[in-house]
Amino acid sequence: MEQYAIKGGNPLVGEVEIGGAKNAALPILAASVMTDETVYIENMPDVRDTNVLLSAMENIGVIVKRTDRHKVTLNASNISELVVEDENIKKIRASYYLIGALLGKYKHAEVALPGGCDIGCRAIDQHIKGFRALGADVKIEHGLIKTQAEHLRGSHIYMDVVSVGATINIMMAAVMAEGTTIIENSAKEPHVVDLANFLNSMGANIKGAGTDVIRIKGVSHLHGTEYAVIPDQIEAGTFMFAAAVTKGDVTVIPKHLESITAKLLEIGCEVEEADDCIRVVASKPLQHTQVKTLPYPGFPTDMQPQITVALGLSKGTSIVTESIFENRFKYVDELTRMGANIKVESNIAIINGVTRYTGARVNAPDLRAGAALVIAGLVAEGITVIDDIYFIERGYEEFDQKLRGIGAQIEKVSDEKEIQKFILKVS
Ligand code: UD1
């Protein structure tokens, strides 16, 4: 099992090139099965989740070629299977995007129920409600979601909760349905918009993505396209908070999310925005604030652990309310072992800022919490070892290498001997 060994204390300084957004890339890959023509995708992140999805797609007959590390071509004209149940696919949340995509094109799909990060109950009732509204039969049997339809017909669907996954899945299922589908109370995240733009570039007729009402006029077929995935706002935000916590000066290219910038300003960082990049300078002590995670354009739940790590070192008492997932503070126990003073009551973390973290051996409980613990390790006194970095690699490409590029002392290690070697090297 690989781990990160980190020696904290270096301010991070320099520029970081941000990769393609994992959460946009995943539905875009899935939607590529909806045409028989070839699809060229650029800016594809080379992370575990996208690779698991690509190999599941290969297993059902999609021809996948990586023309370079971040470019992939897909051709789904010879799909041989509408049942997707390989072992790995259960581990990623986005496996369920193949349901909407295959159902939309072939009117039939059977996909293993998704896993993903263990951050709370991750219901799929809204996905199912949407598929049924379009005319599909849906049942869950033997660990598979099975959907089938004679015809899919446009429908008026009101989402009871704002769900990124359900919005995306229903959008894909509706793209080739007969007539018009209206999704009300849809998610507005940039990756929802990116998928709509991708589908439109294939000949779909989707309007309103990025607002809370999406209108989809069914088309009879989709054609091939060339498309570049948007940059990853969460990767960018993670580096911006790494700059804040280490008293650094980091520029991320290109620039990103207003809600992250707003919070960095509130806690005392300087943020300079140019046309295509954003620079975060943290020269003053960090200040407390309050933050509540919300659907876009609110503060993203995927940035909650990173801001909590920063607030743990800020002056005064901060409050973080997690309103999207009910079990997303599991990493707090690990952070406490590094010296944080945080009390969690239900979905609220009350954070009394401390002056320092100290290195410890900690576990990455999920993807974003893992990245947040890396940030804590980068500022902690002494050595931090993070276990289970498998989770981090699901969504961050060459995280350690990018961090070393801006001055961090971090290495991937796989046993005690390598940890000792790292300690000798950095001390
Ligand atoms: C996606 C992202 C994840 C991010 C989350 C919220 C991907 C692969 N993952 O996850 O990184 O943290 O959006 O921005 O893009 N819900 C229901 N019923 C449903 C669907 C969702 O009740 O049918 C609830 C969930 O339990 C949760 C909330 O809605 O409380 C939001 O979930 P959703 O937006 O669907 O998250 P995901 O798409 O799973």
Side-chain angles (χ1 to χ4, degrees):
M1 274 292 196
E2 288 189 310
Q3 300 140 310
Y4 284 141
I6 304 167
K7 163 97 184 320
N10 287 8
L12 301 185
V13 179
E15 287 182 1
V16 184
E17 195 79 49
I18 298 303
K22 166 183 88 81
N23 287 352
L26 291 165
I28 285 174
L29 286 177
S32 304
V33 305
M34 299 188 75
T35 175
D36 292 338
E37 296 176 22
T38 300
V39 169
Y40 301 85
I41 305 172
E42 291 183 14
N43 209 26
M44 176 61 51
D46 182 13
V47 293
R48 205 176 296 256
D49 275 15
T50 50
N51 292 331
V52 167
L53 184 60
L54 279 168
S55 87
M57 290 171 68
E58 275 185 309
N59 289 346
I60 58 167
V62 180
I63 296 166
V64 175
K65 285 190 196 135
R66 264 198 197 268
T67 45
D68 77 25
R69 185 165 186 188
H70 299 120
K71 287 189 190 145
V72 65
T73 68
L74 300 112
N75 187 294
S77 54
N78 284 317
I79 280 195
S80 49
E81 272 283 351
L82 298 174
V83 182
V84 189
E85 57 175 340
D86 61 275
E87 258 318 294
N88 288 326
I89 199 77
K90 290 182 212 154
K91 294 185 188 148
I92 68 165
R93 191 78 197 144
S95 54
Y96 60 27
Y97 290 146
L98 286 172
I99 312 171
L102 292 172
L103 176 68
K105 170 93 195 289
Y106 296 99
K107 316 288 177 267
H108 179 192
E110 299 188 19
V111 178
L113 265 174
C117 282
D118 180 14
I119 51 181
C121 161
R122 302 186 76 169
I124 53 163
D125 56 303
Q126 299 303 305
H127 303 240
I128 293 175
K129 172 177 161 173
F131 297 148
R132 287 195 174 133
L134 294 170
D137 280 334
V138 185
K139 50 189 177 184
I140 298 179
E141 277 177 355
H142 310 297
L144 296 174
I145 310 181
K146 301 181 174 178
T147 59
Q148 180 120 32
E150 291 267 310
H151 300 287
L152 293 170
R153 286 196 192 82
S155 179
H156 197 135
I157 302 162
Y158 177 82
M159 313 278 285
D160 303 310
V161 293
V162 179
S163 160
V164 172
T167 303
I168 284 177
N169 237 340
I170 297 167
M171 203 153 80
M172 291 192 289
V175 147
M176 287 196 267
E178 221 178 286
T180 299
T181 298
I182 298 173
I183 311 175
E184 290 210 50
N185 200 23
S186 52
K188 298 182 277 210
E189 269 66 3
H191 30 295
V192 174
V193 179
D194 207 32
L195 174 69
N197 289 341
F198 173 71
L199 287 167
N200 283 342
S201 77
M202 295 166 84
N205 184 344
I206 304 173
K207 296 208 166 91
T211 74
D212 45 22
V213 183
I214 298 180
R215 284 165 207 278
I216 305 156
K217 266 196 192 154
V219 295
S220 58
H221 83 288
L222 296 177
H223 53 71
T225 186
E226 287 180 31
Y227 197 81
V229 176
I230 53 165
D232 196 316
Q233 72 220 12
I234 304 300
E235 184 192 13
T238 302
F239 281 99
M240 287 158 80
F241 272 95
V245 167
T246 60
K247 303 259 168 296
D249 177 348
V250 171
T251 301
V252 295
I253 312 164
K255 66 178 194 176
H256 293 272
L257 272 192
E258 290 66 25
S259 63
I260 294 171
T261 307
K263 286 295 159 192
L264 284 164
L265 288 169
E266 264 175 50
I267 64 173
C269 297
E270 291 156 53
V271 181
E272 284 172 24
E273 294 200 44
D275 281 349
D276 63 347
C277 66
I278 188 157
R279 178 177 174 203
V280 179
V281 184
S283 52
K284 295 184 227 136
L286 300 179
Q287 301 300 321
H288 64 100
T289 192
Q290 304 206 355
V291 57
K292 182 175 182 180
T293 62
L294 288 169
Y296 187 84
F299 192 85
T301 173
D302 285 356
M303 285 299 302
Q304 181 262 96
Q306 298 90 316
I307 194 170
T308 300
V309 163
L311 295 176
L313 290 173
S314 302
K315 272 192 173 163
T317 302
S318 300
I319 309 266
V320 174
T321 307
E322 172 55 60
S323 80
I324 310 288
F325 293 111
E326 76 272 18
N327 194 15
R328 209 166 188 176
F329 283 123
K330 281 198 299 190
Y331 65 91
V332 165
D333 285 344
E334 302 299 286
L335 202 54
T336 303
R337 300 179 60 242
M338 298 177 75
N341 180 355
I342 303 175
K343 194 170 154 200
V344 176
E345 284 180 5
S346 161
N347 66 332
I348 295 174
I350 302 152
I351 305 162
N352 288 304
V354 295
T355 52
R356 59 174 196 150
Y357 293 146
T358 49
R361 185 146 189 168
V362 292
N363 271 310
D366 63 66
L367 163 59
R368 305 302 173 186
L373 289 171
V374 170
I375 297 178
L378 291 171
V379 70
E381 272 178 38
I383 305 291
T384 297
V385 175
I386 305 202
D387 290 320
D388 292 339
I389 64 167
Y390 164 87
F391 285 113
I392 302 173
E393 292 178 338
R394 286 188 40 207
Y396 291 89
E397 184 178 319
E398 300 197 327
F399 197 36
D400 53 330
Q401 193 173 311
K402 287 187 182 183
L403 285 166
R404 277 196 299 278
I406 50 175
Q409 289 184 289
I410 176 169
E411 259 171 40
K412 216 183 264 185
V413 291
S414 49
D415 56 33
E416 285 308 315
K417 219 163 114 191
E418 284 183 20
I419 295 174
Q420 290 313 320
K421 219 164 108 190
F422 173 80
I423 294 172
L424 272 178
K425 189 169 133 191
V426 295
S427 52

